[in-house]
Amino acid sequence: MQTAADAGDAAALLAAVPAGRRVALVDPRFVGHVHALRLGLTDPRFAAATVPGALTARPEARGALLRALRRTTAAVGAGAPVVAPDTDPAPEDRTVPGRIAVALEAEGTAVKRPELGSLTATVPTDAGARAAAESARDEVDDEAVRLRSAVKAHDGFFTTFAISPYSRYIARWCARRGLTPNQVTTASLITALVAAGAAATGTRGGYVAAGILLLVSFVLDCTDGQLARYSLQYSTMGAWLDATFDRAKEYAYYAGLAIGAVRGGDDVWVLALGAMVLQACRHVVDFSFNEANHDAVANTSPTAALSDKLDSVGWTVWARRMIVLPIGERWAMIAVLTALTTPRIVFYALLVGCSLAACYTTAGRLLRSLTRRASRTDRAAQALADLADSGTLAQGVAAVAPGLRGAFTAPAVALLGTLVMIGGALFLPYGSSLTVAAAIVYVVLSGLAVARPLKGALDWLVPPFFRAAEYVTILVLAARSDAPHAVPAAFGLVSAVAYHHYDTVYRIRGGTGAPPHWLVRTIGGHEGRTTLVAVLAAVLTHASGFTTALTALAVAVALVVLVESIRFWVSSSAPAVHDEGELA
């Protein structure tokens, strides 16, 4: 920390700081909470940020900061007071940091102004104002505000009332001992994997231990985000870990339950894979709807207005959050049922609960889409096209036949293709070439569905239809085959593909776009993989060939998508965010 005598001296001192370092300017008369400064000066997600009387810039904004400071120095004089005349539009802009923030924005550099709430941050200009500011600061417990703000503002009922009241203190304990959110996230994953191993024993003691460990894993899962917000430790690696480990933990636990059930004489692999497919399809409905509408113009509807009115009635908010069976409620249900019942009952409860939740959320999204009058943007259409995950086959059809869709809408064509594919897998003789013919029809209809920009009111349904077609087809063909262990192999394949789809979602959310086209082409796109599985089922009719092929395909897809995903998320191109997550 160095003290500048005036604006000119500040410019010289900043210029001497090595280019790769973050810098901050703080008015020496600043009065406020330490956490207010922390929010303004230490959050790594923003190139530049400011609170009244303080400004920070990361290396990428250093050049703009120096230019703005020099312009400010030229305007007020190198040795001029740091306070401008009282005719300036905003008091917080009269200090040198405030004037520089305005100059940065005028140049086109985004400057984050964090919400301070009850925290104090000001630059008093006389003794009376200083006394008032110090009094306001002393009346608010800085640490209490910091702990409250560590908890996510909108969370599920179970998480809010059963976990967060004490997990925030665990987060503070971790922060004071130098632990990072990534370490806590990893601990949560390890705990969940141990829970899955306990469930895989197939014993009552193992099930009880698994339920307890799953709850411990969820506490740690809440703690990592709270630690990140408490200590402002956001990172690209943290974003990747937080975005993917929840799914890895849940799917690994499903597999552990299925293995344990088999040891007890009850094969529930089909139920386990069904629960995973249903959960993944639920999520893609949420993701697609949000991406289609997050920047829509005139984004209003009577359904949205009714939802806003219900939000004013406290108990309805919690009821609706519980109905969607978010991760807290879902994991609590899984943990309790694991300890007290059997894996089959756990999966039955998951399938029923997630089905009801999917019906509720999808119905609400359909009503909003049909009743709102919104114009969707090119960016939204591109996001839906990326979420569709169309490979070379579907893109080829779309390129040569963009006008063949006729009067049918994209979701209608996608739904028809989904019904043809799933129907063929379900009702045609297993191993029949007719199933391959159904897959070919699916490829054509998939291409027609994405032949035009997805800007229709219900076009957000296209990616969920494609996910259902691929995942359910793999499930059905594996379940109908006589090959031993085909369903566990299918579980692995769907897990690998689902990882790719979640990775696509979080890249789009981070503003960096979908995975590269070569990756989608390499792993075949949804229609290519679906067709390949149909061909494998028709060709490999001997005892273990289908299982071997599914396993090899799962390994190949997993290796390709994991290597590219890891490369992206640890690179500088990845968004430096800590995802707040959806309720589900």
Side-chain angles (χ1 to χ4, degrees), residues 15-39:
V17 177
R21 294 185 182 178
R22 181 179 187 147
V23 295
L25 285 171
V26 181
D27 193 295
R29 298 162 301 166
F30 175 87
V31 174
H33 290 97
V34 173
H35 192 53
L37 278 180
R38 188 181 291 112
L39 289 171

Side-chain angles (χ1 to χ4, degrees), residues 125-139:
T125 56
D126 55 52
R130 172 169 288 276
E134 290 174 345
S135 176
R137 179 194 62 193
D138 295 341
E139 287 176 358

Side-chain angles (χ1 to χ4, degrees), residues 421 424-425 428-440 477 480 534 538:
M421 188 66 254
L428 292 174
Y430 179 80
S432 168
S433 59
L434 293 176
T435 306
V436 178
I440 294 173
L477 291 178
R480 293 187 66 193

Side-chain angles (χ1 to χ4, degrees), residues 168-465:
R168 69 184 75 179
Y169 295 102
I170 301 176
R172 181 172 66 181
W173 182 90
C174 293
R176 290 177 175 177
R177 282 151 183 81
L179 297 176
T180 67
N182 292 351
Q183 291 171 333
V184 177
T185 302
T186 303
S188 176
L189 174 65
I190 293 172
T191 305
L193 294 179
V194 174
T201 63
T203 63
R204 177 52 52 197
Y207 290 149
V208 172
I212 294 172
L213 288 170
L214 188 64
L215 288 177
V216 172
S217 175
F218 182 66
V219 171
L220 293 174
D221 183 60
C222 295
T223 300
D224 66 354
Q226 292 165 357
L227 174 58
R229 288 182 285 274
Y230 180 86
S231 57
L232 299 179
Q233 296 184 73
Y234 304 106
S235 68
T236 54
M237 180 64 75
W240 175 60
L241 295 178
D242 191 62
T244 58
F245 276 15
D246 279 353
R247 302 287 80 79
K249 289 181 286 189
E250 191 164 5
Y251 298 162
Y253 192 81
Y254 291 177
L257 280 176
I259 293 171
V262 169
R263 288 186 169 180
D266 187 15
D267 190 342
V268 296
W269 273 108
V270 170
L271 296 178
L273 181 50
M276 183 172 72
V277 168
L278 180 56
Q279 188 61 27
C281 290
R282 276 188 63 200
H283 281 155
V284 78
V285 166
D286 296 339
F287 297 146
S288 295
F289 179 82
N290 291 337
E291 289 303 324
N293 294 284
H294 93 286
D295 57 356
V297 180
N299 196 3
T300 59
S301 74
T303 307
L306 175 61
S307 179
D308 292 339
K309 289 181 180 179
L310 289 174
D311 283 343
S312 63
V313 183
W315 68 268
T316 66
V317 175
W318 296 115
R320 286 185 293 143
R321 289 185 187 178
M322 293 174 69
I323 288 173
V324 301
L325 202 64
I327 188 170
E329 277 75 357
R330 191 167 68 251
W331 281 30
M333 180 184 74
I334 293 171
V336 172
L337 290 179
T338 298
L340 300 180
T341 63
T342 65
R344 180 172 291 273
I345 292 177
V346 173
F347 288 124
Y348 281 156
L350 271 172
L351 289 168
V352 172
C354 290
S355 295
L356 292 175
C359 290
Y360 171 78
T361 55
T362 305
R365 283 158 171 69
L366 286 171
L367 286 174
R368 290 192 183 204
S369 299
L370 293 172
T371 57
R372 73 166 32 125
R373 295 179 180 178
S375 177
R376 288 170 176 80
T377 64
D378 292 337
R379 184 248 177 232
Q382 184 59 52
L384 290 180
D386 292 333
L387 289 173
D389 192 34
S390 299
T392 302
L393 297 177
Q395 289 177 349
V397 172
V400 300
L404 292 183
R405 202 169 74 198
F408 294 99
T409 63
V413 175
L415 175 60
L416 178 60
T418 299
L419 293 176
V420 168
M421 188 66 254
I422 295 177
L426 270 173
F427 301 114
L428 292 174
Y430 179 80
S432 168
S433 59
L434 293 176
T435 306
V436 178
I440 294 173
V441 173
Y442 174 66
V443 169
V444 174
L445 292 175
S446 298
L448 294 178
V450 296
R452 300 175 188 170
L454 298 175
K455 291 187 176 182
L458 296 177
D459 283 2
W460 56 269
L461 286 169
V462 171
F465 285 148

